Amino acid sequence: MRDCLNHRAGFDRVLMTVAATFLTVSASSALAQDQARSSAAELAIEAAIPRPEPANVPPPTASDIKLDTTATLQDSTKEPVKAAAAPAPDQVETKPSDIATSPATEAPKSEPAKTEPAKADTATAPPVAPAAPAAAPAAEPVKAASNVPAADQPLADKLKDIIGAKTSRYFDRKNERAAIEKFYGARDFAPVWTQGGSLTAAAKGVVARLKDAASDGLNPADYAVPDFASATTPDALADAELKLTASMFDYARQAQSGRMHWSQVSGDILYPEHPVDPNEVLAKVTTATDASTALDSYNPPHKLYKELKAKLAELRGQGNGPVIEIADGPALKYTAAGKKQAEIVVEDPRVPQLRAKLGLAENANDTRYDAAVADAVRKFQSGAEMKATGILDDKTVKALNTPKRDKQIDVVLVNMERWRWLPRDLGAPALGDAYVILNIPDYTLKVMQRGQQVWTTRVVTGKPGTHATPLLTETMKYITVNPTWNVPPSIVYNEYLPALQQDPTVLQRMGLKLEQNRDGSVHISQPPGEANALGRIRFNFPNKFLVYQHDTPDKNLFAREDRAFSHGCMRVQNPDQYASVLLNIVMPNEKYTPERVRSMYGKSEIDLKFPTPVPVNITYQTAFVDDAGKLQFRKDVYGRDATMINILKNNRGKDLEAVVAHSQPSYSRPATTLPSGVAVANNGGGFGSSGPNFFERLFGGGAPTPPPAPVGRRPQQRVFTR
């Protein structure tokens, strides 16, 4: 009996230990349920582990469960409280089976046959196993995005090698190399121009455009097309792939910005830069439905450029227009009516052909050699660098019948090149794409809006040489009525001060005011008024060349055919009309008229500010297509054509796209000693060296504090208005 009790006590101790162990496991499991699971695999494993219930704790072995099931049930209700005060592990007698049934400890290596629950755990583990490979699909998108067909893999490997180390052999520009690395790297270096060794549709489109570069005034020799047919190895195909890409870059870049940078031609040209982005070129051309059209889109979109392109084809013999020959005959001259004579208009059967040749669509069958025909002949003579008489003589007939086509083609080519320098959008979108465009060789100014001519007038431009009118794009921000003429330093020091040495009173007689500043420099100005050199209105588009458009008291020069007489600024024939046209574009509700503008004439400056600036484009078009569709040529008054033709023909292999640094215009006013007898308006009380510079005097800037007015003289009033 005693032995039985001893056995029973030992069994109870074992049972209590197991219960405490599983109670701890149960509590840990309950705590784990309240914590966030870190993965699906952990949830699956946890679900597969048997959880012993506190009210039904399994015995260590199957035989024990059968012997004392009731005792276990009775004690289980009391043991949880005791479990908290259970003896330390080193005081508890354990068995291998106890350890094996605890999921919180590592299974022992001995007696594996007796650990049935552990076997059950192991058996349930396989369903959880797939959770480990679950991380593998996350890498699949990268693989799919860079998937290269097996046939192209050797070529892709070769491209990877070249792009990784030798791109400078194909691409001189850093941004192009970076674009290549990014583009091909994103496609795991799969080729874009071939597939399985055959040209893709995109490649065929690019090749077609490069071979047709001459139609856009470019040289096809500059855009080499590799021979893909003879490229049969990965090395050869990789070389052809990158060479075609390089030629595509060259075409897009030069089609958009020109074969030569404008600074290569002259220091008095300043247009905004609009370089191409090689990343955008790659994306646009390689994904386009028609790669040829996509690449062609980098050429200028302007109507006048496209018209020149069509005329270039005709000059090269690719046009369908009929060849018109003017027969020999007597000289034809038109005489306008004068004070003592009537108008003289002669008739000749050749005149209808002459009208067609010169593009005069109105009265096409009229045989009279009238003012319109004589004016067209005069313009032709000027463009052909002949004396512009307006008389149809033998020399003019010969020039009409046998034009210097090669020279005309060259002139058209450089004019197309200059169009590439201009902004793609000439106008202001907020104003219906309104803009001003002035053509120096034609001496005309036009106001455009919504693609149509709104108004035009004659202009006088700068004299050839140092006074040439610069080519630029700026924005007109305001109009000044009754402007003060602040004489440019170049005129002050090169013309007026030397004149003072000869005649100390010359400036007074001209109505000019001389001020000598504290630093010894000289400033000369002319107050507002009818005799002011700028007339009654100045049109301001601030620029580094300090040029502007303005009225003039000398109207006689507008009647001349050649009108290059100014110091660089542009004189406008009808400034009051010009002002009203511009003001009605920027402020349509104000209803400005020329009469309203003239009503502001007086002795005080009035600034009419534009809410939205109007772009002003100063161009040099010696070849253009007129409204009648006729190709017109004008005299190369500044020699720009000759310079550009020479550069294009004699500088093959040079980087003509590089920017050439030019000396900047200087507006310094050095101290000077005035001859005796010169009237000085402020007698030394003017601006010091820290006063406003000439640019600030001319266009404003920073609203400098005006100098104190001379004693007895009121400061000049300046009115600002919208």
Side-chain angles (χ1 to χ4, degrees):
M1 181 66 180
R2 185 174 183 137
D3 293 338
C4 182
L5 290 174
N6 288 336
H7 287 301
R8 178 59 184 256
F11 180 79
D12 287 343
R13 286 196 300 272
V14 172
L15 188 58
M16 288 173 61
T17 302
V18 171
T21 302
F22 277 97
L23 183 59
T24 302
V25 172
S26 178
S28 300
S29 300
L31 180 62
Q33 290 176 349
D34 296 332
Q35 296 175 346
R37 272 46 172 190
S38 60
S39 69
E42 290 178 357
L43 290 173
I45 292 172
E46 199 170 84
I49 297 174
R51 286 186 187 163
E53 297 293 333
N56 188 20
V57 180
T61 64
S63 59
D64 288 335
I65 293 173
K66 291 178 182 178
L67 288 173
D68 204 357
T69 305
T70 306
T72 306
L73 289 173
Q74 289 175 349
D75 294 345
S76 64
T77 59
K78 302 176 183 179
E79 289 304 322
V81 177
K82 295 179 181 178
D90 57 349
Q91 297 176 347
V92 178
E93 183 181 346
T94 59
K95 295 181 181 180
S97 59
D98 296 340
I99 300 173
T101 55
S102 174
T105 57
E106 196 174 12
K109 295 180 181 179
S110 59
E111 298 184 16
K114 295 184 180 180
T115 57
E116 293 297 329
K119 285 184 180 180
D121 292 349
T122 306
T124 58
V128 182
E140 286 304 319
V142 177
K143 240 181 191 179
S146 59
N147 190 27
V148 179
D152 292 330
Q153 190 60 56
L155 173 54
D157 293 340
K158 188 62 183 177
L159 285 171
K160 183 176 182 180
D161 292 342
I162 296 175
I163 292 173
K166 304 175 183 177
T167 48
S168 58
R169 287 171 44 189
Y170 300 90
F171 307 97
D172 295 331
R173 289 166 172 78
K174 183 178 179 180
N175 64 337
E176 292 179 356
R177 292 196 295 270
I180 285 295
E181 292 170 8
K182 180 180 178 181
F183 177 78
Y184 280 97
R187 51 191 290 116
D188 203 22
F189 302 94
V192 69
W193 306 128
T194 61
Q195 190 170 14
S198 300
L199 283 180
T200 61
K204 293 177 182 177
V206 170
V207 169
R209 175 53 50 194
L210 297 182
K211 289 184 175 180
D212 193 39
S215 67
D216 275 296
L218 302 173
N219 188 349
D222 293 335
Y223 319 107
V225 175
D227 184 6
F228 281 92
S230 62
T232 57
T233 65
D235 285 22
L237 284 170
D239 182 70
E241 174 90 11
L242 296 178
K243 283 182 176 177
L244 183 60
T245 306
S247 291
M248 177 187 71
F249 279 160
D250 290 343
Y251 181 96
R253 191 180 62 253
Q254 295 182 0
Q256 177 149 309
S257 299
R259 286 180 285 174
M260 72 176 74
H261 192 268
W262 37 262
S263 63
Q264 297 271 345
V265 180
S266 174
D268 55 9
I269 304 175
L270 182 62
Y271 287 120
E273 303 280 359
H274 46 267
V276 297
D277 178 1
N279 293 286
E280 190 265 349
V281 174
L282 279 168
K284 181 177 182 178
V285 176
T286 60
T287 60
T289 304
D290 186 340
S292 178
T293 301
L295 193 53
D296 180 52
S297 68
Y298 291 99
N299 284 294
H302 313 106
K303 176 175 176 284
L304 289 174
Y305 170 85
K306 294 179 178 179
E307 291 173 342
L308 279 180
K309 178 179 177 179
K311 293 301 180 183
L312 176 63
E314 291 181 12
L315 288 173
R316 286 172 168 166
Q318 301 167 7
N320 298 320
V323 177
I324 302 174
E325 293 285 339
I326 308 299
D328 293 334
L332 302 180
K333 180 181 179 181
Y334 166 78
T335 304
K339 293 181 179 179
K340 298 182 179 180
Q341 66 177 21
E343 180 185 41
I344 300 176
V345 179
V346 298
E347 292 195 37
D348 191 285
R350 298 173 295 166
V351 174
Q353 286 77 26
L354 184 60
R355 289 177 181 271
K357 187 84 172 179
L358 297 174
L360 298 176
E362 189 175 356
N363 302 322
N365 297 319
D366 194 340
T367 59
R368 296 178 304 157
Y369 192 83
D370 56 16
V373 179
D375 186 57
V377 169
R378 189 177 297 107
K379 288 181 177 179
F380 169 79
Q381 291 169 330
S382 178
E385 298 184 5
M386 303 170 63
K387 187 176 180 180
T389 62
I391 300 174
L392 184 71
D393 52 18
D394 292 341
K395 186 177 180 180
T396 304
V397 169
K398 183 178 180 180
L400 284 165
N401 290 335
T402 57
K404 301 174 182 178
R405 284 189 177 267
D406 289 344
K407 183 176 181 180
Q408 288 181 332
I409 288 173
D410 287 341
V411 171
V412 170
L413 289 176
V414 294
N415 274 271
M416 294 173 71
E417 181 79 0
R418 285 194 289 267
W419 273 106
R420 304 183 196 281
W421 299 344
L422 288 166
R424 287 300 181 260
D425 190 351
L426 298 176
L431 300 175
D433 287 324
Y435 62 91
V436 173
I437 186 166
L438 186 146
N439 183 6
I440 294 172
D442 193 44
Y443 307 108
T444 54
L445 177 152
K446 296 180 180 180
V447 179
M448 307 292 292
Q449 189 177 34
R450 298 183 179 88
Q452 301 297 320
Q453 178 179 305
V454 176
W455 185 79
T456 186
T457 191
R458 290 185 163 206
V459 295
V460 172
T461 62
K463 292 179 284 188
T466 57
H467 297 305
T469 297
L471 307 184
L472 56 84
T473 290
E474 279 295 349
T475 53
M476 188 183 298
K477 297 175 173 60
Y478 64 101
I479 294 172
T480 301
V481 182
N482 309 315
T484 295
W485 181 38
N486 293 293
V487 183
S490 60
I491 300 178
V492 170
Y493 287 92
N494 296 332
E495 299 182 28
Y496 285 173
L497 291 184
L500 285 174
Q501 301 293 336
Q502 304 296 323
D503 182 358
T505 65
V506 63
L507 297 184
Q508 286 179 291
R509 289 187 284 104
M510 293 173 64
L512 299 176
K513 180 177 65 174
L514 184 148
E515 299 170 89
Q516 188 161 30
N517 303 313
R518 297 188 189 98
D519 60 2
S521 63
V522 171
H523 174 254
I524 299 175
S525 62
Q526 186 179 28
E530 188 176 358
N532 188 283
L534 306 185
R536 288 294 190 177
I537 307 175
R538 184 179 67 215
F539 303 87
N540 307 288
F541 41 96
N543 58 85
K544 78 168 190 176
F545 302 106
L546 303 185
V547 297
Y548 41 83
Q549 296 163 355
H550 62 88
D551 182 20
T552 177
D554 301 321
K555 305 290 187 182
N556 61 302
L557 294 178
F558 292 110
R560 304 236 188 139
E561 198 66 32
D562 295 324
R563 297 187 290 277
F565 297 107
S566 79
H567 281 76
C569 289
M570 295 138 277
R571 306 172 191 171
V572 182
Q573 184 174 21
N574 300 298
D576 53 344
Q577 296 178 28
Y578 185 28
S580 66
V581 168
L582 292 173
L583 291 168
N584 284 324
I585 287 175
V586 298
M587 294 182 284
N589 296 329
E590 296 294 329
K591 309 297 182 186
Y592 275 93
T593 63
E595 292 76 20
R596 181 179 174 184
V597 173
R598 290 195 297 271
S599 71
M600 300 179 189
Y601 291 174
K603 294 186 177 181
S604 297
E605 287 191 346
I606 302 173
D607 286 339
L608 303 174
K609 296 190 174 182
F610 293 176
T612 302
V614 177
V616 176
N617 303 284
I618 311 300
T619 68
Y620 193 85
Q621 303 172 56
T622 54
F624 60 92
V625 179
D626 63 17
D627 294 337
K630 174 68 179 176
L631 177 61
Q632 297 285 347
F633 291 96
R634 294 293 181 265
K635 184 179 179 181
D636 184 17
V637 60
Y638 294 163
R640 301 286 185 253
D641 287 355
T643 300
M644 294 179 67
I645 291 170
N646 178 63
I647 290 175
L648 289 175
K649 288 187 173 182
N650 300 322
N651 288 275
R652 297 286 300 163
K654 293 185 179 179
D655 184 8
L656 301 180
E657 299 173 62
V659 177
V660 176
H662 294 275
S663 59
Q664 298 300 305
S666 173
Y667 307 114
S668 62
R669 295 171 293 172
T672 188
T673 302
L674 298 174
S676 59
V678 175
V680 180
N682 63 338
N683 195 24
F687 293 102
S689 58
S690 61
N693 58 30
F694 178 70
F695 188 93
E696 292 168 336
R697 282 178 179 265
L698 181 60
F699 292 120
T705 304
V711 178
R713 173 174 292 183
R714 296 178 60 188
Q716 179 179 302
Q717 182 182 6
R718 186 175 181 85
V719 181
F720 290 88
T721 179
R722 291 175 68 93

